[in-house]
Amino acid sequence: RIIQRINSRIKSPKPPFSSIGVLDIFGFENFAVNRFEQFNINFANEKLQQFFNKHIFSLEQLEYNQEGIPWSDIDWTDNAGCIDLVERKMGVFSVIAEESRFPKGTDKS
């Protein structure tokens, strides 16, 4: 509803066309306890965000520069460190996989 109201005010019938939209790609839920399933959902969201950032911010800006299109580079926060923490060798997934192989493994072992 808010997006529709804003667009009704800024939309122009002639170029340049102006409008806004909402992209909900982050998983910023705040639960008292985050289960493994929620961790996986949040990790998948981070991977999607990384893909989006790389293709929109990095590759598009590179293409604009190569084609000589006037463009101001956009600074963005790279979430590669967060993803690396989870998927690297001895990262979160690796440690969880290793722990699951121990007989009677627990969260404390």
Side-chain angles (χ1 to χ4, degrees), residues 17-92:
F17 302 104
S18 298
S19 66
I20 66 165
V22 174
L23 175 63
D24 180 16
I25 199 161
F26 283 102
F28 286 127
E29 299 83 5
N30 186 10
F31 299 119
V33 175
N34 272 317
R35 304 262 184 243
F36 185 64
E37 294 82 4
Q38 187 62 44
F39 174 79
N40 287 324
I41 290 167
N42 290 348
F43 177 71
N45 285 341
E46 287 297 324
K47 291 291 282 186
L48 287 170
Q49 183 67 40
Q50 182 184 49
F51 179 85
F52 177 83
N53 288 347
K54 181 178 179 184
H55 285 83
I56 297 303
F57 295 123
S58 294
L59 299 178
E60 285 295 317
Q61 290 183 112
L62 178 64
E63 188 173 326
Y64 283 18
N65 290 331
Q66 289 173 345
E67 294 180 9
I69 297 171
W71 180 257
S72 296
D73 283 344
I74 297 172
D75 290 329
W76 54 280
T77 303
D78 187 0
N79 65 353
C82 175
I83 290 172
D84 187 50
L85 178 67
V86 175
E87 36 178 40
R88 72 178 176 220
K89 187 173 183 173
M90 292 309 295
V92 173

